[in-house]
Amino acid sequence: MSIATWELLSYVVTVIGLPLAILTFVLEQRKERENEDEEVYQLLADNYTDFLKLVMANPDLQLRSHRGALPMTAEQEERKLVLFEILISLFERAYLLAYDPDMRGKRLRRWMSWEDYMREWCLREDFRQHLPRLLVGEDADFVAHITRIAQEMTQQKPA
């Protein structure tokens, strides 16, 4: 092959191959980020499932009931508070790992499921009453976010 042919081939590689390699790299990075987001979401969802198992193991606390609260012993109140602390910790973790004000597409849909969980729990008067204590020391942006949700839910009644 002549030098002219080699030169032409190098131009082809530069003009076509390099942009194609860059595009492939960018697409792979995006796919990897999507897989990481999915993995984080799945781990958080598993943690929420574990929390619900704790709720089921403590039916006397009536945490899934929207009926009026029955009188509880000091021990029951303490267990309920601990479960609320676990829940707030989980919500904060979800907020820190999954929330982004500029979300779109799958990320937004995943986040909205967490937002739904927060709204559901904030419908509970006992949960809202404990929020000031539960939010001490938590991330400031998360505190603002869940406080706003709690204020919105104060206006609603449970179904």
Side-chain angles (χ1 to χ4, degrees), residues 10-59:
S10 75
Y11 287 141
V12 169
V13 167
T14 302
V15 170
I16 296 172
L18 187 59
L20 185 60
I22 291 171
L23 178 64
T24 302
F25 175 77
V26 167
L27 291 175
E28 284 299 315
Q29 289 295 315
R30 185 177 295 162
K31 185 176 178 182
E32 187 175 317
R33 211 173 2 224
E34 175 66 30
N35 288 340
E36 288 172 1
D37 285 350
E38 181 66 34
E39 186 177 333
V40 165
Y41 176 77
Q42 191 57 53
L43 288 170
L44 289 167
D46 291 346
N47 287 335
Y48 189 70
T49 300
D50 291 343
F51 170 77
L52 291 178
K53 288 176 185 176
L54 288 174
V55 168
M56 286 176 27
N58 292 278

Side-chain angles (χ1 to χ4, degrees), residues 26 30 38 46 50-51 64 70 77 89 130 133 143 150:
V26 167
R30 185 177 295 162
E38 181 66 34
D46 291 346
D50 291 343
F51 170 77
R64 295 304 294 165
L70 296 175
E77 285 291 340
S89 175
H130 285 293
R133 178 179 176 186
V143 169

Side-chain angles (χ1 to χ4, degrees), residues 86-98:
I86 293 169
L87 183 61
I88 283 294
S89 175
L90 180 57
F91 284 164
E92 181 187 33
R93 197 170 336 141
Y95 181 85
L96 294 173
L97 294 174

Side-chain angles (χ1 to χ4, degrees), residues 28-159:
E28 284 299 315
Q29 289 295 315
R30 185 177 295 162
K31 185 176 178 182
E32 187 175 317
R33 211 173 2 224
E34 175 66 30
N35 288 340
E36 288 172 1
D37 285 350
E38 181 66 34
E39 186 177 333
V40 165
Y41 176 77
Q42 191 57 53
L43 288 170
L44 289 167
D46 291 346
N47 287 335
Y48 189 70
T49 300
D50 291 343
F51 170 77
L52 291 178
K53 288 176 185 176
L54 288 174
V55 168
M56 286 176 27
N58 292 278
D60 60 315
L61 303 180
Q62 299 180 346
L63 292 174
R64 295 304 294 165
S65 171
H66 290 289
R67 290 178 280 159
L70 296 175
M72 292 192 177
T73 67
E75 185 264 341
Q76 287 174 314
E77 285 291 340
E78 184 70 21
R79 282 189 291 130
K80 181 168 68 170
L81 182 60
V82 168
L83 287 173
F84 285 166
E85 288 171 350
I86 293 169
L87 183 61
I88 283 294
S89 175
L90 180 57
F91 284 164
E92 181 187 33
R93 197 170 336 141
Y95 181 85
L96 294 173
L97 294 174
Y99 181 77
D100 179 0
D102 300 322
M103 290 180 284
R104 286 176 293 210
K106 284 184 182 179
R107 283 191 83 195
L108 179 60
R109 288 195 308 274
R110 286 184 196 119
W111 171 251
M112 291 310 293
S113 67
W114 283 103
E115 187 101 2
D116 289 344
Y117 296 146
M118 290 179 199
R119 289 180 185 286
E120 179 183 346
W121 284 95
C122 285
L123 274 173
R124 293 184 60 93
E125 185 178 341
D126 55 351
F127 183 76
R128 288 192 315 268
Q129 287 175 345
H130 285 293
L131 267 181
R133 178 179 176 186
L134 295 169
L135 295 176
V136 171
E138 304 296 346
D139 177 77
D141 291 338
F142 167 70
V143 169
H145 188 81
I146 198 160
T147 300
R148 179 186 51 78
I149 291 172
Q151 289 169 347
E152 290 172 8
M153 296 298 100
T154 301
Q155 307 304 317
Q156 297 185 16
K157 300 229 186 289

